[in-house]
Amino acid sequence: MFYHLRRIAGILLTLSLLCSLSPVSADTNDPIHVRYYQGGTVPDYAVKVLTLALQKSGSAYILTPVTTPMTTPRIVRTIKNNTPDGVNIFWAASSPELENTLTAIPVPIERGLIGFRVLVIRQDHLPRIEQISNEISLRTISLLQGLGWSDAAILRKNGFSVTEAVPDNLYNMLAAGRADAFPRSVIDVDRELRAQQKLHTGLIIAPGIAIIYPRFGVFFFVSSDNKPLRLALEKGLQTALKDGSFLKLYEEDPDIRTALKILREPRKIYVLAANSPDSALQRLDPSLFEPMLSGIIKESPAKNLSK
């Protein structure tokens, strides 16, 4: 009897050791592979937020940039199809199409600053822009937008004529007079114009005027099938919001500081109608957005631009 009990105990011990070495256990310790597109809006800041979220998630991860030039539609297809070794996360301004195709992590990483747009114009077009006195005259100017950008649908819904093109060509097109203005967010415009000065010295920010998309923001988007990455980002961002590290990163970023400075400049602001008022992202907690934006919208002397 004692011999049989020893054999049974030995078998149970062997099974226990085999289970401890099984793939199920190993999988839980595998790092999450995060491949992001090195580009888009606020690229340096977005990578900082992404890194912070992954660090705060408590999960092991491998963060890899993908530098191959890609348009937004191609990035979305790559993520949706779970292309091997392809991009599996990117950040972009939300749109109904993106929300229906991919899964958004419900935290606007730039607190909605991307929705505040100044107009980049050719300096010799300034007299035309200065003639804008109301929403009707504002709608007469032609605008540029990147291919696949969320803004294009918002601008068209509000009655604007919009030309879309590959992002790398937009400033060249503006300088060539292919449109009157190129709306750029306050978090991107200063950095972009400094990079363009050697090529296009005649481009400026139109003084005294801006447009704003209410409750608009940049979000991380992942495949609905990529549950480990989605959960890690949600947990990490919520932790960073609670412990103050997210706000600290936001307030110390140079692009954000420049954006907040531009927000304080006197401008007549035209508030555009949202592209998708029923979007779940439109109903996020107001505390996730930059408080100055709410104040600007309430105090804006311009009317809401809805058709």
Side-chain angles (χ1 to χ4, degrees), residues 63-94:
L63 191 59
T64 306
V66 176
T67 57
T68 304
M70 301 173 72
T71 62
T72 297
R74 181 183 171 192
I75 295 171
V76 172
R77 287 195 303 271
T78 301
I79 297 174
K80 179 183 178 181
N81 296 334
N82 296 299
T83 304
D85 298 323
V87 174
N88 62 4
I89 180 173
F90 87 129
W91 50 89
S94 186

Side-chain angles (χ1 to χ4, degrees), residues 2 32 53 105 121 141 163 177 184 196 223 254 271 293 298 303:
F2 180 72
I32 300 172
I105 309 303
I121 63 170
I141 65 173
T163 297
R184 297 306 295 137
Q196 291 292 327
S223 167
V271 181
L293 289 175
K298 290 178 182 178
K303 297 179 180 178

Side-chain angles (χ1 to χ4, degrees), residues 65-198:
V66 176
T67 57
T68 304
M70 301 173 72
T71 62
T72 297
R74 181 183 171 192
I75 295 171
V76 172
R77 287 195 303 271
T78 301
I79 297 174
K80 179 183 178 181
N81 296 334
N82 296 299
T83 304
D85 298 323
V87 174
N88 62 4
I89 180 173
F90 87 129
W91 50 89
S94 186
S95 70
E97 293 75 21
L98 274 177
E99 292 175 38
N100 290 332
T101 306
L102 302 175
T103 297
I105 309 303
V107 175
I109 65 172
E110 37 49 271
R111 306 194 75 194
L113 288 178
I114 197 173
F116 192 98
R117 298 300 174 107
V118 292
L119 303 180
V120 179
I121 63 170
R122 281 174 36 161
Q123 190 159 14
D124 59 357
H125 283 190
L126 183 57
R128 171 161 166 66
I129 302 300
E130 289 177 333
Q131 292 175 0
I132 296 172
S133 58
N134 54 43
E135 61 270 20
I136 296 175
S137 54
L138 177 63
R139 285 194 185 105
T140 64
I141 65 173
S142 57
L143 304 177
L144 287 173
Q145 283 294 284
L147 190 65
W149 288 3
S150 307
D151 317 38
I154 296 175
L155 293 167
R156 289 193 178 106
K157 178 178 179 179
N158 283 272
F160 290 96
S161 172
V162 180
T163 297
E164 294 182 68
V166 176
D168 288 346
N169 292 339
L170 292 170
Y171 278 105
N172 294 333
M173 293 173 65
L174 181 65
R178 298 279 298 277
D180 296 315
F182 181 18
R184 297 306 295 137
S185 76
V186 288
I187 50 176
D188 291 309
V189 67
D190 181 71
R191 181 186 68 258
E192 290 179 355
L193 276 183
R194 280 189 280 109
Q196 291 292 327
Q197 283 305 306
K198 292 181 180 179

Side-chain angles (χ1 to χ4, degrees), residues 4-18:
H4 290 297
L5 288 175
R6 287 184 61 186
R7 285 193 63 189
I8 293 172
I11 292 171
L12 291 175
L13 178 60
T14 301
L15 289 173
S16 176
L17 288 172
L18 287 173

Side-chain angles (χ1 to χ4, degrees), residues 30-36 54 59-65 88 229:
D30 283 349
I32 300 172
H33 289 266
V34 185
R35 296 178 295 274
Y36 65 92
L54 291 169
S59 300
Y61 66 91
I62 297 174
L63 191 59
T64 306
N88 62 4
L229 180 55

